[in-house]
Amino acid sequence: MTSIHDDLPHPVPAFAQLRYKENYFFILIAPESDAFGVFHLNHEPGHDRARYTANLEVAGQSIRYANITPFPTDFEHQRRIGDGALSLHFAEPHRRFELALKTDEVDLTLAFTARRATFDYAACRTVGNPAPSFQEVMTLGLNLPYNHQQQALDAQGRIRFADGQERAIGGSGYRDHSWVMRSDSGGLTHNWCGLNFPGRSFGIKTISTTHRPGFVAKEGYVVDSDGPRALRRIEVRTEGEMADGLCARLIHEVEDVFGARYTIESDIAGRFAHVPLVSEAPTGKASFHIVENFCPLRLIETGERGEGLVEIGRSSTLGGPYS
């Protein structure tokens, strides 16, 4: 039956907000060097744009870089990408990545090398995880492409400031690489973490969206000397609340595919540093606010200490940006 309202302009469906993008995301966590940073190289061919950003805190100095260019004419299978100021060289895929940021403010070079093997989140789909997948939630159940990989890294490099001061950098980090259909602005809340310990590393992510509130996707992995393996159970809880609206502690209780259990405490209140992230160019009436928290970690079962990046995001519909 044709209704009266069917003859009028229609509401925009949620899938109209989806977009294809290929992201490279590198994290620097170097407490002993007092250096922390996130580097984001985001390519959106459907919008004919690429966005390159760097947010760093080094020796108490804030460094911010952002630029938008047209989508690269040469992109497929290139060994070097970037806009000239921020550049990424795939020196040895899965083993060594050379990143540089050269502006009037800083001259930074970093070599990220494999700390652990790359994990492909496609492995999460066959381990009996009762939670929905990111592909199911982020692509609205349309079975659109959603490919994501993550790798724990070590980092070594050097930074020189405009006043001539230099300092060496040494620490850990991780990288994300995704080529997906998704719209980050459709998120409601999320936690996205890379957690490094001397003996193992974890990647854990959860998200709920504005179009399916209460439907929480959960995926993750652990990698150690035995190799990478998916998590089949992920529970996340928070403790306390800080003045900026973030939790004081984030607790992950997880179980891998073989039944080994881990409890990880991320000390948000005791974070080494934090920086903002704009994951995509803002569109529409909703926006998504993200804080990158560089945190000390504790593995409860063993007492092992580590360091990690805890990314926390929420929609403006829940009360506006974090501080």
Side-chain angles (χ1 to χ4, degrees):
M1 182 179 73
T2 301
S3 65
I4 295 174
H5 60 76
D6 204 36
D7 216 20
L8 304 176
H10 289 77
V12 178
F15 62 78
Q17 306 300 324
L18 291 174
R19 63 183 72 173
Y20 178 82
K21 61 177 68 177
E22 184 153 13
N23 286 296
Y24 291 93
F25 194 46
F26 281 78
I27 309 298
L28 170 66
I29 313 167
E32 293 185 4
S33 304
D34 195 15
F36 309 90
V38 299
F39 306 88
H40 193 204
L41 299 91
N42 182 25
H43 307 86
E44 299 173 292
H47 292 267
D48 188 28
R49 69 182 174 215
R51 295 187 306 108
Y52 304 99
T53 62
N55 292 327
L56 299 107
E57 297 289 328
V58 181
Q61 298 191 49
S62 295
I63 301 158
R64 304 286 186 266
Y65 175 76
N67 187 30
I68 298 179
T69 73
F71 187 82
T73 54
D74 294 319
F75 184 66
E76 183 178 331
H77 299 150
Q78 292 298 307
R79 290 297 185 106
R80 295 179 185 270
I81 59 175
D83 65 349
L86 179 61
S87 62
L88 174 62
H89 175 211
F90 302 91
E92 298 178 69
H94 298 288
R95 295 181 60 187
R96 181 181 175 90
F97 309 87
E98 296 168 352
L99 191 144
L101 176 65
K102 300 183 186 298
T103 68
D104 293 339
E105 193 176 1
V106 295
D107 187 340
L108 170 69
T109 56
L110 290 170
F112 289 96
T113 54
R115 182 185 183 96
R116 298 289 178 186
T118 301
F119 179 78
D120 192 326
Y121 275 84
C124 295
R125 299 170 192 165
T126 58
V127 296
N129 183 351
S133 70
F134 265 57
Q135 182 181 37
E136 167 70 16
V137 172
M138 295 294 281
T139 72
L140 308 167
L142 299 176
N143 199 33
L144 296 171
Y146 195 93
N147 304 284
H148 183 76
Q149 297 180 345
Q150 188 170 321
Q151 183 179 22
L153 303 170
D154 290 317
Q156 298 288 329
R158 194 160 202 88
I159 187 168
R160 178 164 53 84
F161 295 96
D163 61 6
Q165 294 186 53
E166 291 191 28
R167 66 189 298 123
I169 296 174
S172 73
Y174 76 92
R175 69 182 184 98
D176 278 348
H177 176 204
S178 60
W179 55 110
V180 299
M181 290 292 293
R182 79 182 198 204
S183 176
D184 294 339
S185 61
L188 188 62
T189 63
H190 86 251
N191 299 313
W192 206 303
C193 306
L195 311 170
N196 289 333
F197 293 91
R200 58 188 58 82
S201 294
F202 298 84
I204 309 172
K205 54 180 185 170
T206 70
I207 194 167
S208 64
T209 58
T210 54
H211 52 274
R212 301 182 83 172
F215 198 59
V216 182
K218 302 177 184 180
E219 293 181 338
Y221 72 95
V222 57
V223 56
D224 54 22
S225 58
D226 290 333
R229 53 201 180 274
L231 302 177
R232 68 178 180 191
R233 186 182 70 86
I234 298 170
E235 300 298 334
V236 186
R237 59 184 170 85
T238 63
E239 294 181 353
E241 184 176 343
M242 300 191 298
D244 61 5
L246 293 174
C247 60
R249 286 168 300 281
L250 189 69
I251 312 296
H252 287 96
E253 296 178 350
V254 302
E255 179 182 331
D256 73 13
V257 66
F258 299 118
R261 296 184 178 184
Y262 307 91
T263 307
I264 307 156
E265 179 185 78
S266 299
D267 185 1
I268 312 296
R271 60 195 176 190
F272 306 117
H274 64 289
V275 298
L277 175 72
V278 178
S279 62
E280 63 186 27
T283 59
K285 296 180 180 180
S287 56
F288 198 67
H289 305 283
I290 301 172
V291 180
E292 308 289 345
N293 302 280
F294 306 89
C295 300
L297 312 173
R298 183 165 63 105
L299 186 58
I300 301 299
E301 285 79 5
T302 64
E304 193 175 0
R305 300 285 178 168
E307 58 197 30
L309 187 281
V310 178
E311 178 181 290
I312 300 177
R314 73 178 178 191
S315 170
S316 59
T317 60
L318 296 179
Y322 294 115
S323 301

